[in-house]
Every structure is written in structure tokens, then in C-alpha cells.
Amino acid sequence: MYSRVISGAVEGMEGQLVEVEADLGNGLPVFEMVGYLASEVKEAKERVRTALKNQGYVLPPKKITVNLSPADLRKSGSIYDLPVAVAVLIAGGLIPPPEEPILFLGELRLDGTLKQVQGVLPVLLTAQKEGIRICIVPEGNQMEGSVAEGIFCIGISSLKEAGQFLTEFRNAKNRVLLLEEWQKRHHCSVKKENIWDELDFCEIKGQILAKRAIEIAVSGHHNLLMIGPPGSGKTALAKRIPTIMPELTKKERLELTRIYSVKGLLEEGRAVTKRPFRAPHHTISSSAMAGGGKNAQPGEVSLADKGVLFLDEFPEYKKEVLEIMRQPLEEGKIVLSRNKRTCVYPADFLLAAAMNPCSCGYYPDRSRCSCNESQIRRYQQKISGPLLDRIDLTVRVDALSYEELRTAKEGETSGQIRERVERVRERQRIRFQAEPYDVNARIDSKGLETFCRLSKEAEQKFQIWFQKSGLSARGYVRILKVARTIADMDEADLIEEKHLLEAFAYRTGVGE
């Protein structure tokens, strides 16, 4: 007998439907699987055979052939165990076939119970577009699957439950009611969590200039570089950046959950609700930063999407790793070509980098700095000019004195700063509602003329400053965008001289 069920695969960030066909025919009792399979998929036949036996199913002594289609798509991972088992059971007449398309995803243990798998959400979203309304997944993936609207995501704990569901579904008079009942069986109520971290900006004493730069950076989604000696608080400041960022929108939560689903990093199968903060060590490889690989996994630049990518000890990263940052910093995505495939990963993050001014960390304090001019220059030149050109704000973070540490009053809370940031972001959202972007950092060349208008006095000053500073074209554009954000924070329609002056102050180069 012949049967066919639907499963899925993940290509980059997108799901793709896969047909799992099974045929039981005359011949030697062997189990064959075809369809451009990775080794872990080929091993599924042993897991399936043992799981069927331990769940009490007895297959007839026939030749079993399973095909995963399309044949030109490489199938990898353990997501196909459940659909293969269900297809074989239907072909053997042991459970009834579904009367409408049902998506099956899941890995089998040898005892026939199901394990949580990764990459469920992208497949469900594709199934939803194709008009499939029912999906059977391991119970550990049900909460993740419920993010996809308009589809019944039913979690099951064993292969026996899959057979039981298909039997009840075939005989049900009210199938919608049955689907709702099954959906509640293993559904876990989502615990209400505080989406804001326990860290708070009020815990940071002093550093008024750095806090101001961070607020500007978050308000306009500008990249930031902090320069200062060891122990001055650069890392502490960076860790608190997500606490002043606006709450994730529904669209952003869905995109982030897809990324973390593909990577298998969802905590207890829950959707992502907080903006990510990623801080990879400076020994990270270029493939780990960018993503890709044999099975096309997102890298750190994608895991930081809609959040913060913090690079501490900025000059210590390998040159090829830093140069990878150019495309995502400009476009908010990264395009990778691997093995005749092109994968596009979201990478719209806020870059927060930190570095010492020299290898010992104490320049320009000559009472503590032991580096000569050549060593200082060599250390700072580890970061290329084109990459520095893509950083909008550079701020000095100096060590606090004993008196400042002892007497400094508690500063503003993250909540207070976040309220101002949200007002500025809302102002930008309204301004750019007809544009493909919604923050100042993404203004295109056409938008510069429309949205970054200068007052007469600012126009005159800008021309003088531009000629004296020797700015590049990219530097000119970056200053205008930062000045636009500072003007928004003052609720000003035109960019004034004071806004330009502050933007120029944050354009100070490394070591100057």
C-alpha cells in the first residue's frame, strides 16, 4: 500500500514543505529511505523501526520504501522521524489516513516518545501560507508553534498519540471542537515575565556623557563605540542598553522567534519577548559571527537582530570577523552563499563596541600608560577606516575618581530614559510611515534631502566644519542622521547649529 504525509525543512530562515511517501510492497522485508538524505535522516529508519515495535505496532513482513520529496533538497536533522513513522503506519493500514493535509514534525526516541526539535516555527509559517491548518509536533514545541496564527498546533508526547489523534479526527462529528480539545492537552500556560532586565542605568554612577551618547544611539538606532581605560564601566553601560530600548513589536517578536527556532535556542519553547544582547568573545570565528555552515545556521549578527551586539576589546577581534560587519551595518541583513545556495539572514542590530585607547589601556594618562606612539598607533589601526566610518557615535568613558564614586547621586532609571526613547521613536515612526524604514539611522540618500533639513545658521556652520574636518561622504551622511536624532530629542523640526555641534563632537576619531 501507498501513503503520503506532509513534513517540512528549513532553508536559511525559510521553511519548505516536504512530502514523505511510504510504500509497502512485496519483496524482502527491508526498510529503504531515499531523497537526498543526510546521515542523521538515513538513521531514522532504525529509530522508527524500534519505536514502532516499542509502541506495540507490528508491521507486515514487506519491503518498506520511503521517499522524501523534493529530491533536490538536502534533508538534514531529526525532524522527519514522526512523519516517516506515520507514513509507514498509514501504508501498513495500522492507522487511518488524514482526510485533509496535516503537517508532522518530530524526533522519536527508541521507546516511541517524542523529543523537541528545532526549526518548527519557519515550517509552520510556510504551512500556514499553503493553507494547511493542522500541525502535529512534540509537546515541547507546542508553545513555539502557537506563535503562528491561524493554525492548530497540537503537541503530542508519543507515536501512539499520533495514531489516536488520526483515528479520533476521522470519526469526529465536530472536528474544530476536537482540534481545540487536543490543543489543550499538552498546552502550557505562558508565565508572565518581566521583559526588562534586572539591570538598570540608575546603578551606573556618573558617566553623564556616555549615558547621553547611549540614549542618542538607541533613539535613532545608531552604532556606538566607547573608548576608555579598564574598569571605567564600558561593559556595565553596554549591558544596560537593552533596558532602554522600546518593547518588541509583534512583527519583531515573530522574526526573532524564527531565528532562535532555527538555531534551537528557544527557552522552554517560548517565543522571544526580550531584545537580545549578544556579546561574543573576541576569539569568535568569521563563520560563527556571520552564520552559514553545512546546515545553514544563523550567526551572532542574526542572533542579535532587533537587539544589541556588544563587541568588547574591539581591536582584538580578527580582521576578517570585523570586516564581516560591513554589510549588516549598512543593510540590516547578511547574505551568504554556500554550496549553490544563497541564504539571507536578518541582522538589524545596534552595534555597541568598546575598546581601550591603547594596548595597556591608559593612554593619554602618561603617568600610567607605558606605550610609545608607534604602539598606540598600531593598536588603534587594527580597526579599519571603512569600519570606523560606519560607527555613528564615539564617546570617551573615563574612570571615575574616588570622590565621584562616593558622592555621586543615583541617576535616572532605565524606565525614565526608555520613556524619552519611545517618544523619539514614535516621532520617527510617524515621519517615516510612507518609507521602507522607521529610524533615522536607515534614512536613504533621497530621505536626507527631505527629512534632514538644516536651519540657515546650521547650513553655514556645517559647510565650514565639513571643509576643516576633511569628512568623507559617509561621515557627512552619518553626522546628518545623528543630528536629526538629537533634533528629534529636542522635538525640533529643523536641525539647528547646536544639534550639528553635538553630532560632530561624537564623531571624534579613535585616539583623537
Side-chain angles (χ1 to χ4, degrees), residues 319-451:
K319 184 178 180 180
E320 60 269 22
V321 172
L322 292 179
E323 295 307 308
I324 283 170
M325 312 293 294
R326 291 198 198 182
Q327 184 186 30
L329 288 177
E330 289 288 340
E331 302 175 14
K333 64 181 180 181
I334 187 163
V335 182
L336 300 173
S337 296
R338 297 287 189 276
N339 195 22
K340 300 181 181 179
R341 295 180 301 171
T342 299
C343 298
V344 180
Y345 298 106
D348 186 13
F349 56 85
L350 189 152
L351 174 64
M355 63 178 285
N356 298 328
C358 63
S359 55
C360 78
Y362 295 105
Y363 179 80
D365 184 358
R366 281 305 186 182
S367 64
R368 304 179 71 185
C369 177
S370 59
C371 303
N372 58 43
E373 294 298 327
S374 176
Q375 289 172 323
I376 295 169
R377 189 163 49 251
R378 188 162 53 248
Y379 180 79
Q380 295 176 353
Q381 287 176 350
K382 289 182 178 181
I383 307 170
S384 70
L387 181 58
L388 280 174
D389 231 11
R390 287 169 168 82
I391 294 176
D392 304 332
L393 299 103
T394 302
V395 63
R396 179 84 187 184
V397 183
D398 291 317
L400 298 179
S401 66
Y402 177 81
E403 289 75 17
E404 289 174 314
L405 287 170
R406 294 292 296 170
T407 61
K409 297 180 180 179
E410 190 174 89
E412 290 182 298
T413 65
S414 291
Q416 291 173 315
I417 302 172
R418 185 170 61 249
E419 286 180 6
R420 294 199 298 268
V421 169
E422 288 172 344
R423 286 198 294 269
V424 177
R425 284 288 186 99
E426 179 63 16
R427 185 182 177 91
Q428 293 170 66
R429 188 191 64 78
I430 294 171
R431 178 195 299 136
F432 301 136
Q433 56 188 342
E435 305 297 333
Y437 45 82
D438 59 358
V439 289
N440 289 332
R442 297 290 184 223
I443 297 176
D444 56 23
S445 55
K446 181 181 177 182
L448 285 174
E449 298 293 329
T450 307
F451 304 120

Side-chain angles (χ1 to χ4, degrees), residues 216-232:
I216 295 170
V218 175
S219 296
H221 197 69
H222 302 289
N223 302 311
L224 171 74
L225 172 61
M226 294 179 283
I227 305 175
S232 57

Side-chain angles (χ1 to χ4, degrees), residues 235 238-239 242 260 276-284 289 300-301 303-304 307-313 317 350-352:
T235 302
K239 286 181 177 179
Y260 279 70
F277 178 84
R278 305 293 298 186
H281 193 260
H282 62 78
T283 56
I284 189 173
M289 180 67 85
E300 287 292 334
V301 293
L303 294 174
V308 177
L309 179 65
F310 178 53
L311 302 184
D312 201 4
E313 304 296 341
Y317 287 81
L350 189 152
L351 174 64

Side-chain angles (χ1 to χ4, degrees), residues 74-121:
R74 181 174 172 81
K75 324 299 186 307
S76 60
S78 56
I79 206 169
Y80 303 104
D81 290 7
L82 178 61
V84 168
V86 170
V88 169
L89 287 173
I90 294 172
L94 298 175
I95 60 175
E99 294 185 340
E100 68 173 273
I102 297 179
L103 185 75
F104 292 90
L105 304 167
E107 177 184 347
L108 286 170
R109 296 185 179 91
L110 295 183
D111 63 355
T113 57
L114 285 166
K115 289 178 64 177
Q116 185 175 334
V117 292
Q118 61 189 64
V120 165
L121 183 56

